[in-house]
Amino acid sequence: MVLVVSEEVREAIDARRPVVALESTIIAHGLPRPRNLLVARELEDAVRQEGAVPATIAVLDGRPHVGLDKEQLERVANEDGIRKLGHRDLPLSVASGASGATTVSATALLASLAGLRVFATGGLGGVHREWTVTQDESADLGLLARTRITVVCAGVKSILDVPATLQRLETLGVAVAGYGTDRFPGFYLSDSGLPVDWTLHTPEQVASVMRAQDALGGPASALVVANPVPREEQLDPALHARVLADALRACEEQGVTGQAVTPFLLDHLVRHTDGASLSANLAAVRGNVRLAARIAAAWTRA
């Protein structure tokens, strides 16, 4: 089998101990060096502090790895030429022997193939603004519609069309619940301004929903647990609105399109909020990782 599962992760799965999947795009493409490696280690440590095993996922020399050792983590953080891989890119990277960091869709797929059930990330991709013109929608949504995994996230990136993304998740049959809130979080913001239909308050409640998914035996879709960034750590909403509006205008004026839109907007936010958007992003990821570890623990106690 082409999938490489680390010994630590395999032993945890076999012993039914909690494991949390972590994406690697934030390491290779989301943060500057050397901070990216420090954050990668911090997130793995946070999972361990909650009693779970971290399984950072990446493709190295054409081999998908679920769980990285110290040297492999350093390679993802420091090696030039690490690609950004969605799930559609996995066969191409395997066949060509390429190395790449996994996005939400690729991480969710590889985690599921390895037998993992819980995945922590920052924010999901979704429907882009001006969708009626561009038809631009993240591959995350379609993959989550056919992959049985629980994704702990801070909602979807606020640069997207959040109402359309929620509608698309509903259409695709992906369950969405707020964690301790009846409002859908907005990645950098605790509240996107939109409600959620369901609220879960404890890891045990999340695990109960996961068990109910299996008992019902319906389509193998995901469960999205939308965990808001703490209000005291969110990006100032007024600053967010102003800078995002400026970023969208700059994007249009410079003719940025397709896959270049998201990194352009995110970079604009970081630079024009003096790094405050990045701080909010990391606060969200830290909270999601810890919650995911608690959910994984509740799941394995079932």
Side-chain angles (χ1 to χ4, degrees), residues 71-84:
E71 290 73 22
Q72 290 167 337
L73 197 64
E74 291 174 353
R75 184 178 169 189
V76 172
N78 296 322
E79 185 174 297
D80 294 330
I82 293 286
R83 301 180 68 115
K84 185 177 181 180

Side-chain angles (χ1 to χ4, degrees), residues 175-253:
V176 177
Y179 190 80
T181 180
D182 61 359
R183 310 294 295 174
F184 190 68
F187 191 42
Y188 301 122
L189 307 175
S190 299
D191 183 354
S192 69
L194 298 166
V196 288
D197 293 329
W198 298 93
T199 302
L200 301 171
H201 296 280
T202 66
E204 289 73 23
Q205 288 182 343
V206 178
S208 293
V209 176
M210 295 163 64
R211 288 193 292 273
Q213 285 180 311
D214 293 344
L216 287 167
S221 56
L223 168 63
V224 173
V225 178
N227 181 40
V229 62
R231 287 191 178 275
E232 63 273 15
E233 296 185 275
Q234 71 173 340
L235 183 61
D236 176 72
L239 176 63
H240 173 272
R242 176 174 59 78
V243 175
L244 179 56
D246 291 342
L248 291 168
R249 282 194 295 270
C251 189
E252 183 176 359
E253 291 168 358

Side-chain angles (χ1 to χ4, degrees), residues 164-184:
T165 301
L166 281 172
Q167 180 60 56
R168 187 72 176 129
L169 286 167
E170 179 182 346
T171 300
L172 291 170
V174 178
V176 177
Y179 190 80
T181 180
D182 61 359
R183 310 294 295 174
F184 190 68

